[in-house]
Amino acid sequence: MMKITSARVILCSPGRNFVTLKIETDEGIYGIGDGTLNGREMSVVSYLSEHVIPVLIGRDPRRIEDIWQYLYRGAYWRRGPVTMRAIAAVDVALWDIKAKLANMPLFDLLGGRSRDKVLVYGHANGTDIEHTSDEVGRYKEMGYKAVRAQSGIPGVKGAYGVGRGDMYYEPADASLPTETVWNTGSYLNFTPKLFQRLRDVHGDEIHLLHDVHHRLTPIEAARLGCNLEPYRLFWMEDATPAENQEAFRLIRQHTTTPLAVGEIFNTIWDCKDLISNQLIDYIRTTIVGAGGVTHLRRIADFAALWQVRTGSHGATDLSPVTLGTAVHFDTWVPNFGIQEYMRHTPETDDVFPHDYTFRDGCLHAGEKPGHGVDIDERLAARYPYSPKQLPIARLQDGSMWNW
Ligand code: KDG
Ligand code: MG
């Protein structure tokens, strides 16, 4: 029997915080997993260190399914972002080990290539319409075929998704939450004008995406979807919070703008009704968010029954370990839609050597055994954890709103 001999959490901050799990075995093969939960990192560090690592030692790392079930059912307290990230960190490290044992890139172990390359969308962020349009142009020049566009809005202090003038927008920006002010009326008036301009300047071919980031009520989201129809978005994301999933039925009745949801979902149970009632077109749940490859595969297979395609979350708080694993997953998964790709900083890329590459608007999986991402622990130690939280949003009268 093969055995897990050690498991360690590596916490580092090469530009932003990452929680990484390294599992070592008696055969000298190790695996790497990501458990980063943006703004709440230490909860996963503690979950892994106190409750998970002690039960891993001595287990056979090849029994991925059994270990997944052990951690999920065995905790008694199921689901939730902390538990499912801790499980994901273990699961991805174990798939890495198994693929290395098999001497295969992970996509081969999953069933082999369904495609040659993985279509991604980049993030164009500007302070106003013209700036955002210029940024879309810059992404086109870099080869992107799909771009998410977010813009500053007159009357909105700290609109979601607007960078601070560089390529590496990171919302978790301060040790205590930054306060932003939201104005639905300004946003609803502004956003169709933004996309009208983007289609006028950039033509019909480029795929355009937009993230509402949970800010609208269902009927407001329906109105925005209708008003964006002439600009043929690839998707409108997180149009309204998805706790009450019936809300999407209302949006769906009113608009043919494709809907994407799920970056904060943790299990198939969060996705099930939206998918089986055909209320969405893309499921955004990703590897680190939902218990790793083992569980995301179940979600994707379930989604395929209703022609819902994948569109995995890929912001910078998903470490290169998650991105690399996602690229293998996307290379295999039959009902692939698109992959979000928000470039990591050079410091992050140096700490996590990886073999995926960006070319022609697509990410390409490497051929190395495993998921192809490692961690340089000596370099990581030079970037100690630095507490950061996500912003919050309030309405103009001071009421709390959804960030
Ligand atoms: O940590 C929060 C980010 O991951 C999130 O705000 C990014 O909405 C996001 C997206 O679509 O990438
Ligand atoms: Mg989003």
Side-chain angles (χ1 to χ4, degrees):
M1 174 177 137
M2 188 178 176
K3 279 193 178 148
I4 295 174
T5 49
S6 90
R8 271 176 304 122
V9 176
I10 304 158
L11 184 60
C12 64
S13 191
R16 65 160 349 283
N17 294 314
F18 293 110
V19 177
T20 307
L21 180 69
K22 182 165 183 172
I23 297 182
E24 290 168 311
T25 67
D26 58 353
E27 295 194 10
I29 294 176
Y30 65 88
I32 306 288
D34 172 30
T36 308
L37 179 57
N38 204 3
R40 294 291 185 271
E41 291 84 1
M42 298 309 283
S43 58
V44 186
V45 172
S46 143
Y47 194 108
L48 282 168
S49 312
E50 300 291 323
H51 310 298
V52 173
I53 288 174
V55 305
L56 289 180
I57 308 302
R59 272 175 210 283
D60 185 340
R62 295 170 302 183
R63 294 182 61 171
I64 300 178
E65 186 66 50
D66 184 62
I67 291 176
W68 196 97
Q69 299 289 339
Y70 184 96
L71 295 175
Y72 184 79
R73 294 172 195 264
Y76 184 64
W77 312 107
R78 297 183 183 198
R79 309 165 65 188
V82 179
T83 300
M84 297 312 289
R85 270 178 170 75
I87 295 178
V90 174
D91 187 77
V92 166
L94 296 182
W95 278 101
D96 193 26
I97 289 170
K98 195 182 271 290
K100 286 172 179 168
L101 270 174
N103 200 26
M104 287 179 186
L106 180 58
F107 65 76
D108 258 340
L109 192 59
L110 289 172
R113 281 184 185 279
S114 293
R115 58 195 54 78
D116 301 330
K117 52 193 178 174
V118 168
L119 178 70
V120 298
Y121 69 92
H123 283 210
N125 315 310
T127 48
D128 57 22
I129 290 182
E130 284 317 306
H131 184 200
T132 306
S133 174
D134 292 348
E135 288 296 300
V136 171
R138 194 154 71 97
Y139 273 82
K140 278 166 68 185
E141 275 165 27
M142 287 189 279
Y144 284 81
K145 313 270 185 273
V147 183
R148 180 186 100 159
Q150 308 290 142
S151 173
I153 303 162
V156 175
K157 179 185 161 232
Y160 167 75
V162 182
R164 288 176 295 274
D166 58 27
M167 295 276 294
Y168 308 112
Y169 169 62
E170 170 49 57
D173 59 356
S175 56
L176 292 175
T178 300
E179 303 229 347
T180 65
V181 181
W182 180 246
N183 183 331
T184 297
S186 306
Y187 172 75
L188 285 177
N189 289 335
F190 174 87
T191 304
K193 292 180 197 145
L194 168 68
F195 282 93
Q196 180 175 21
R197 181 72 181 147
L198 296 181
R199 279 287 173 228
D200 286 350
V201 175
H202 298 290
D204 286 336
E205 221 162 280
I206 183 100
H207 294 303
L208 294 173
L209 299 84
H210 182 67
D211 191 349
V212 180
H213 220 257
H214 325 270
R215 301 295 168 92
L216 299 178
T217 65
I219 197 68
E220 290 163 354
R223 184 175 131 203
L224 181 63
C226 286
N227 290 343
L228 291 174
E229 277 172 25
Y231 316 115
R232 298 171 309 282
L233 262 56
F234 188 96
W235 77 36
M236 176 168 79
E237 175 184 338
D238 286 338
T240 197
E243 284 110 323
N244 171 18
Q245 306 202 336
E246 277 298 302
F248 280 79
R249 199 181 293 283
L250 188 148
I251 303 172
R252 199 61 153 176
Q253 277 163 2
H254 290 283
T255 182
T256 58
T257 293
L259 302 175
V261 179
E263 69 181 36
I264 68 169
F265 292 177
N266 310 126
T267 69
I268 198 165
W269 301 103
D270 298 322
C271 311
K272 173 180 148 283
D273 293 347
L274 286 172
I275 291 172
S276 60
N277 291 312
Q278 295 188 285
L279 301 181
I280 57 171
D281 302 282
Y282 296 93
I283 185 72
R284 295 216 355 98
T285 311
T286 191
I287 308 254
V288 65
V293 171
T294 297
H295 196 65
L296 193 66
R297 192 164 62 163
R298 299 221 153 93
I299 295 173
D301 283 342
F302 182 74
L305 301 183
W306 284 275
Q307 300 190 41
V308 172
R309 306 184 82 81
T310 65
S312 286
H313 188 202
T316 35
D317 46 298
L318 286 71
S319 96
V321 176
T322 288
L323 183 64
T325 309
V327 174
H328 282 269
F329 188 90
D330 298 339
T331 299
W332 157 72
V333 70
N335 49 323
F336 171 72
I338 199 165
Q339 169 69 47
E340 181 178 16
Y341 176 45
M342 195 175 170
R343 289 159 177 268
H344 289 108
T345 61
E347 292 82 358
T348 298
D349 281 338
D350 287 348
V351 167
F352 295 96
H354 53 262
D355 69 348
Y356 56 81
T357 48
F358 174 81
R359 223 170 38 252
D360 303 330
C362 293
L363 280 167
H364 298 250
E367 296 279 344
K368 275 193 194 150
H371 57 45
V373 188
D374 208 337
I375 182 164
D376 178 337
E377 290 187 67
R378 290 226 326 250
L379 194 54
R382 284 202 227 147
Y383 299 101
Y385 169 65
S386 152
K388 293 277 188 316
Q389 300 206 36
L390 287 168
I392 60 106
R394 291 187 187 276
L395 301 181
Q396 285 173 307
D397 68 358
S399 322
M400 275 296 287
W401 196 242
N402 315 313
W403 177 73

